[in-house]
Amino acid sequence: MERWTRFVLRQRWPILAVWLVVLVAGFVANMRLGPLLSNEFRVPGTDSERVRTILTEHFGDRSDGNFLVVARVADASDPGVRGRLEAAMRRAAADVPSAHADRLVPAGKHVLFGNITSTLDIVGAKKWTKTVRADVDHVAGAQVYVSGVAALQADIDPIFKQDLTLGEGIAAPVAVLVLLLVLGISFAVFIPFLFALSAIFATLGVVYLLAHEMSMASYVVNLVFLIGLGIAIDYSLLVVYRFREEIRVDGDKDEAVVRTMATAGRAVVFSGATVAIGLALLIAMPLPFMRSMGIGGFLIPLFSVVAALTVQPALLSLF
């Protein structure tokens, strides 16, 4: 640990530059991550999943890629309204890959409903929600609603984002208050947040890449922010407090960093590794939803440990 810390101190500026690139790349990836996430509660190997596969491969139908069109009309038996609605559904189906429009079915005197069926999965289908709604909107004599699994997921995504923003808005001021009470008014207060941002956005950058190849739950982002912020504050308080004890010994800043990382830094590494291994066990579950949560839970403490070994000693030497 001592030799590694001395190496980091010698290369502090290149290391911080690399982390700055990682942070910016992760931030950009996070902005583009939402459309790739979905909450699919499927269980591979079950009878229901085999039926879904048969429907997709032989009948061109995938339930989570369908759009349910419901229209409120004055008279469900009016052929003019039905014709205009079916024409609008055909236009929408033409815009969605692999989709076709089913016939409308009456549900009482004032309701018609039908499906725009496709073989897209939920991630591929939800991004066409706005297009489908625009194509079937403003049909004369009908008030049209678009639902279905894909449309619901598209509507829920902004709510997740708002909830995450709200949670951050509450957690960040509380964290700042706690850090000010413990560390006092100094640049040391910035270390936990720079630590957290580095680990969080590095993790989300990897999640963005993995989301192109596998199903990733929408809750992964919340999990990463929650654990990332908690770990950063926890580890930073431990390391900064120990650093202040060490620097009182002889006043040599770099030597104090070396001694700090040899003690508190070592504890942080073992703690982070334990958290990572514990959450990584979720990856062994044969459920894509839980597996994605395990990947996010494994990556954030892993990157936190890497940041603790690189970003934190570099920042201590500067602040």
Side-chain angles (χ1 to χ4, degrees), residues 107-219:
K109 296 180 179 180
H110 305 291
V111 177
L112 291 169
F113 72 94
N115 285 297
I116 296 175
T117 304
S118 77
T119 58
L120 297 174
D121 61 14
I122 189 171
V123 174
K126 71 175 183 178
K127 63 185 178 183
W128 296 100
T129 301
K130 289 184 178 179
T131 301
V132 172
R133 284 177 173 158
D135 286 336
V136 300
D137 200 10
H138 304 300
V139 175
Q143 187 174 3
V144 185
Y145 304 91
V146 176
S147 186
V149 177
L152 289 173
Q153 185 67 51
D155 292 338
I156 289 172
D157 284 347
I159 298 174
F160 282 139
K161 189 172 183 179
Q162 291 172 8
D163 288 346
L164 182 59
T165 303
L166 176 62
E168 292 169 353
I170 296 172
V174 173
V176 170
L177 179 61
V178 171
L179 291 170
L180 286 173
L181 290 173
V182 176
L183 302 177
I185 300 175
S186 71
F187 286 114
V189 173
F190 293 105
I191 292 179
F193 293 101
L194 294 173
F195 181 114
L197 290 175
S198 300
I200 287 170
F201 286 115
T203 300
L204 292 178
V206 176
V207 169
Y208 172 77
L209 297 176
L210 293 175
H212 287 83
E213 304 297 330
M214 61 180 294
S215 174
M216 299 295 289
S218 301
Y219 302 108

Side-chain angles (χ1 to χ4, degrees), residues 188-274:
V189 173
F190 293 105
I191 292 179
F193 293 101
L194 294 173
F195 181 114
L197 290 175
S198 300
I200 287 170
F201 286 115
T203 300
L204 292 178
V206 176
V207 169
Y208 172 77
L209 297 176
L210 293 175
H212 287 83
E213 304 297 330
M214 61 180 294
S215 174
M216 299 295 289
S218 301
Y219 302 108
V220 169
V221 177
N222 303 68
L223 178 73
V224 168
F225 271 94
L226 175 69
I227 297 179
L229 187 60
I231 284 179
I233 294 174
D234 183 22
Y235 292 173
S236 294
L237 284 174
L238 176 64
V239 171
V240 173
Y241 193 83
R242 183 57 185 263
F243 171 74
R244 286 182 168 179
E245 292 180 337
E246 294 292 345
I247 202 170
R248 293 192 192 103
V249 175
D250 58 11
D252 189 309
K253 184 169 55 179
D254 285 356
E255 288 301 317
V257 173
V258 171
R259 291 194 299 270
T260 298
M261 295 304 297
T263 52
R266 190 184 301 274
V268 163
V269 171
F270 279 101
S271 174
T274 302

Side-chain angles (χ1 to χ4, degrees), residues 5-47:
T5 304
R6 294 187 187 281
F7 169 78
V8 170
L9 293 176
R10 288 195 302 271
Q11 304 296 328
R12 69 193 77 182
W13 290 113
I15 287 173
L16 291 176
V18 170
W19 272 105
L20 179 61
V21 173
V22 171
L23 195 154
V24 172
F27 179 81
V28 173
N30 178 54
M31 298 299 292
R32 301 179 179 180
L33 185 57
L36 299 174
L37 303 178
S38 63
N39 294 325
E40 293 183 84
F41 302 101
R42 57 190 180 87
V43 183
T46 59
D47 291 341

